[in-house]
Amino acid sequence: MKFKEQYIYYGLCAVTAMLLIVAVINKREMKQDQLRETKKQEQSQEQKKAEEKDVGNAVIRVLIKGEGFQEELHEKVGITAPGGLVIEYGEGREELEAQAVFEAAADHPYFASGAIRISRVSQERN
């Protein structure tokens, strides 16, 4: 009988040791998961900040469909802003007064040096 009690005791010790090992491993994995999640969140925040910085230089393409819409391509487009516009092209820069209309067509001379950048005057002064 003493022999069986000894095996039961050793068996309980072995099961207890295994449970402790499993608990330690599980806790370690949980910490690693938390670290991974934290890193993902930090990377996501850094990516959002980078995207916000890139928005200032974003290429925006707009399809204008209004009354009398006939084609996806337009001969020219007119842009205006309440506070005026700043048009930057190549090495040049032009500032238009409030409510002045900037009309651009594919053959506009500003496009000769590549893309143009249009922003509001109030945005430039802030």
Side-chain angles (χ1 to χ4, degrees):
M1 192 79 164
K2 223 177 189 187
F3 189 69
K4 285 185 178 180
E5 289 176 2
Q6 190 175 7
Y7 276 120
I8 291 172
Y9 175 74
Y10 289 140
L12 287 175
C13 287
V15 169
T16 303
M18 282 196 262
L19 288 174
L20 287 173
I21 291 170
V22 168
V24 169
I25 291 172
N26 190 25
K27 190 172 185 177
R28 184 179 294 172
E29 287 177 0
M30 288 174 55
K31 284 184 180 181
Q32 288 175 347
D33 288 343
Q34 287 175 344
L35 287 174
R36 281 189 212 115
E37 186 64 32
T38 303
K39 285 182 182 179
K40 283 182 184 178
Q41 288 175 352
E42 289 172 358
Q43 288 174 344
S44 176
Q45 289 174 351
E46 289 173 7
Q47 185 177 3
K48 284 181 183 177
K49 288 179 183 178
E51 287 173 358
E52 288 173 1
K53 289 179 183 177
D54 289 343
V55 168
N57 296 323
V59 175
I60 301 172
R61 297 176 187 261
V62 179
L63 177 60
I64 302 171
K65 293 183 178 181
E67 291 182 25
F69 171 78
Q70 295 176 354
E71 292 185 43
E72 291 182 2
L73 300 176
H74 299 273
E75 290 183 26
K76 63 182 177 179
V77 63
I79 301 170
T80 185
L85 294 171
V86 175
I87 295 97
E88 297 173 297
Y89 54 94
E91 298 293 321
R93 174 186 165 105
E94 180 182 355
E95 190 168 322
L96 300 178
E97 296 177 4
Q99 300 301 329
V101 178
F102 173 71
E103 288 190 355
D107 60 349
H108 195 285
Y110 291 176
F111 287 114
S113 59
I116 61 173
R117 180 182 174 104
I118 302 172
S119 57
R120 298 185 327 235
V121 170
S122 60
Q123 189 179 31
E124 289 288 319
R125 292 183 181 158
N126 286 340

